[in-house]
Amino acid sequence: MDPAPEGLYLRAVIKPLYRFIRDQGYEVQDGKYVRRERDHEDIIGYDDVNQLFWYPEGIARIMLTDKTRLIDLAPAQRFMKFDQVDWNRAFFKTYIEKRTFLQLLVHFNRIWVIHISVFWFYTAWNSPSIYAPSGSSGVASTAMRLSASALGGAVATIIMIAATLAEFMFIPTTWNNTSHLTRRLFFFIVILGIVVAPTFYIIINNKSKSSIPAIVGAVQLGIAVLVTILFGVVPSGRMFGDRVAGKARKYLASQTFTASYPSMPRSARFASVMLWFLILSCKLVESYFFLTLSFKPSIKAMTGMIIQGCRDQLFGNALCQHQANFALAIMFVMDLVLFFLDTFLWYVIWNTVFSICRSFALGMSMWTSWKLLFTRLPKRIYGKLLATEQITVKYKPKILVSQIWNAIIISMYREHLLSIDHVKKLLYQQVTSESGQRALRAPLFFTSQDDRGLKGDFFPTHSEAER
């Protein structure tokens, strides 16, 4: 067998792929490459190119200039035909990066489910005057209250359906991800029917003296709560066909690349679960007593209220007499906004508590000043990284610390985070003392922390290195 010519891989594989990606973002004008005025959603980018090779359906799209599929050739002949591949016909958009507020619905659907659905549970139970039958003096039966509250599960399902429909906008229908979305959408519609159907039964039999409507309402509420917990805890991508833990071969690429997450230690995972458990439990209790119950008398008083004796020159009394309804609607929206803000409040509180506990567990005090922290940094580097039983005491601690610190600074310079002038101020440097001996001088960054007279510009202002 004759050896392959030198540079064949670069010429036949790398160069065509590079040119394809380059031409997607740049065009030639006056002999120079200029950035195309093209939005991200119209550019076949690196991720789209990479994802073509994840699935057999994608590899089957690779064709030669004579319209022969690459997979139809013998395996031993495929590599030598790579320089004849028509990459412009092979690649396509696998994800459409649209700039739209629907991204908030798709990627944060669990946030909406947790807040809007629970808000519905709380408010529907405490506002029977809104859905009470006429002539009942604003009093609804137990079955009706249970069923009205259970529609919070329907709200959660509608949010998931809307998120799934919005996701179709970002994934081309020719791609095999849409089968997963279609299956998910079908199950959501079925769940919506299961949650909503008992309400019609209870409305029809609301005047019945039997206890069956109340039992049906209680079961409906239980199902709605379970559905809301499921949609609020489990990511939508892991429902009805787990793309992360599924054993099917078609999920192998996702598990290897985009869904390949490092596993958390048990202690860290327990801390994460406890953090969110405390945040949500405190938020749900506090929101019920201080938002929902305080809102209950206003709902009861303003429901059905009609303003009399008012007349507008343009609209007459068509708007004025319903002013209470408009005000009540605005109050509902404001209450929902405060419901969201409660979560942020408890997140700040418990995150602060956990951060302080974590700092003490790591041996750091939250009240240690940054100046003192930087002054002690060389000692901490030696104590945390170098002072082990395995280390051989061959060099002085200062020399060992300088090697680690200089390596960090040089790596930041290579990443273009620091200029050469800043690097000189941050490195340990060898100097000659007055006695003619070589000595290691610490950077001013450490020594200037305790001396107010030494103030140096060590990092570019507002840069990533300074942060």
Side-chain angles (χ1 to χ4, degrees):
M1 180 181 295
D2 296 332
E6 184 178 355
L8 177 63
Y9 182 77
L10 290 175
R11 184 176 68 255
V13 180
I14 301 300
K15 191 174 182 179
L17 292 176
Y18 169 78
R19 283 181 171 176
F20 177 85
I21 297 176
R22 179 200 64 190
D23 293 342
Q24 286 294 311
Y26 293 86
E27 60 183 350
V28 178
Q29 293 183 3
D30 299 329
K32 297 181 180 180
Y33 281 100
V34 181
R35 188 77 178 177
R36 290 180 182 270
E37 294 296 332
R38 187 186 290 181
D39 199 18
H40 199 181
E41 63 177 304
D42 301 321
I43 296 176
I44 300 177
Y46 172 79
D47 292 333
D48 303 307
V49 173
N50 191 23
Q51 200 165 349
L52 179 80
F53 302 96
W54 288 10
Y55 303 97
E57 296 85 354
I59 297 176
R61 292 176 54 92
I62 301 177
M63 301 180 68
L64 306 183
T65 52
D66 60 359
K67 298 184 179 181
T68 302
R69 295 196 308 172
L70 186 67
I71 61 174
D72 292 336
L73 300 176
Q77 301 176 0
R78 293 173 185 173
F79 179 75
M80 302 306 295
K81 296 290 185 179
F82 255 79
D83 57 346
Q84 302 178 25
V85 172
D86 186 1
W87 293 112
N88 291 319
R89 297 180 57 185
F91 296 119
F92 64 99
K93 291 292 293 182
T94 59
Y95 188 85
I96 304 173
E97 301 87 352
K98 289 182 177 293
R99 291 181 174 87
T100 170
F101 283 105
L102 291 177
Q103 295 277 9
L104 299 176
L105 178 62
V106 173
H107 301 295
F108 301 101
N109 54 351
R110 288 189 287 167
I111 300 296
W112 305 116
V113 166
I114 292 173
H115 289 81
I116 298 178
S117 299
V118 175
F119 180 79
W120 181 286
F121 285 133
Y122 286 177
T123 308
W125 177 259
N126 289 282
S127 55
S129 57
I130 294 178
Y131 50 83
S134 58
S136 61
S137 301
V139 179
S141 63
T142 302
M144 184 64 74
R145 293 184 69 183
L146 289 171
S147 183
S149 302
L151 290 179
V155 173
T157 310
I158 291 173
I159 292 174
M160 299 300 291
I161 291 175
T164 304
L165 292 175
E167 196 168 350
F168 275 100
M169 296 177 54
F170 308 115
I171 300 179
T173 54
T174 55
W175 195 237
N176 57 355
N177 280 355
T178 53
S179 62
H180 180 70
L181 295 179
T182 305
R183 180 171 62 253
R184 189 195 308 170
L185 181 62
F186 171 77
F187 279 106
F188 286 154
I189 294 174
V190 172
I191 292 173
L192 180 63
I194 294 174
V195 175
V196 173
T199 301
F200 293 97
Y201 171 81
I202 292 174
I203 292 175
I204 295 173
N205 299 277
N206 186 40
K207 296 183 180 180
S208 174
K209 295 182 179 180
S210 173
S211 60
I212 294 179
I215 296 175
V216 172
V219 173
Q220 180 189 10
L221 180 60
I223 294 174
V225 171
L226 292 177
V227 166
T228 303
I229 294 175
L230 175 67
F231 292 164
V233 174
V234 181
S236 57
R238 305 195 68 166
M239 293 181 184
F240 318 119
D242 194 342
R243 302 173 64 83
V244 178
K247 301 300 182 182
R249 180 176 174 80
K250 64 179 179 179
Y251 300 145
L252 183 61
S254 296
Q255 296 167 7
T256 306
F257 297 100
T258 55
S260 179
Y261 308 117
S263 58
M264 295 176 63
R266 286 189 176 182
S267 59
R269 188 169 184 82
F270 175 77
S272 177
V273 172
M274 284 301 301
L275 172 65
W276 285 105
F277 174 79
L278 292 171
I279 290 172
L280 293 177
S281 58
C282 292
K283 176 258 184 319
L284 295 178
V285 172
E286 185 262 343
S287 295
Y288 181 79
F289 286 100
F290 289 92
L291 284 180
T292 305
L293 289 185
S294 63
F295 192 30
K296 183 177 179 179
S298 302
I299 297 174
K300 184 177 181 180
M302 299 178 68
T303 300
M305 179 185 295
I306 297 178
I307 308 299
Q308 299 177 347
C310 60
R311 183 172 298 278
D312 185 80
Q313 185 176 0
L314 296 177
F315 302 101
N317 62 354
L319 294 178
C320 180
Q321 66 179 357
H322 297 292
Q323 180 182 358
N325 295 331
F326 292 133
L328 188 60
I330 294 173
M331 291 167 68
F332 270 117
V333 173
M334 181 57 64
D335 207 43
L336 179 59
V337 172
L338 295 175
F339 199 82
F340 275 89
L341 292 177
D342 262 353
T343 307
F344 179 69
L345 169 67
W346 285 107
Y347 173 79
V348 172
I349 293 173
W350 281 112
N351 191 51
T352 303
V353 173
F354 272 67
S355 297
I356 293 174
C357 295
R358 180 66 174 169
S359 298
F360 281 116
L362 294 175
M364 295 187 299
S365 171
M366 292 294 292
W367 291 275
T368 301
S369 66
W370 283 109
K371 292 183 177 181
L372 187 59
L373 194 65
F374 287 133
T375 303
R376 295 178 178 176
L377 188 57
K379 294 181 180 179
R380 296 186 68 85
I381 291 176
Y382 182 78
K384 296 290 185 180
L385 301 178
L386 298 173
T388 61
E389 297 179 355
Q390 291 79 14
I391 190 173
T392 303
V393 183
K394 187 176 180 180
Y395 298 101
K396 294 182 179 180
K398 189 175 183 179
I399 296 177
L400 299 176
V401 170
S402 68
Q403 292 176 348
I404 295 178
W405 176 257
N406 286 356
I408 295 173
I409 298 302
I410 292 172
S411 66
M412 296 175 72
Y413 171 73
R414 290 174 177 172
E415 293 291 334
H416 305 288
L417 301 178
L418 296 173
S419 66
I420 189 64
D421 294 330
H422 292 106
V423 169
K424 292 178 180 178
K425 300 177 182 178
L426 291 168
L427 287 178
Y428 279 90
Q429 298 181 10
Q430 286 190 350
V431 296
T432 304
S433 63
E434 296 179 356
S435 59
Q437 296 180 348
R438 303 285 290 178
L440 194 63
R441 185 179 64 187
L444 287 175
F445 178 69
F446 295 141
T447 58
S448 65
Q449 303 297 331
D450 291 331
D451 192 345
R452 294 184 178 182
L454 292 175
K455 296 296 180 182
D457 181 20
F458 301 107
F459 301 100
T461 306
H462 305 302
S463 65
E464 184 178 349
E466 186 180 37
R467 289 195 298 272

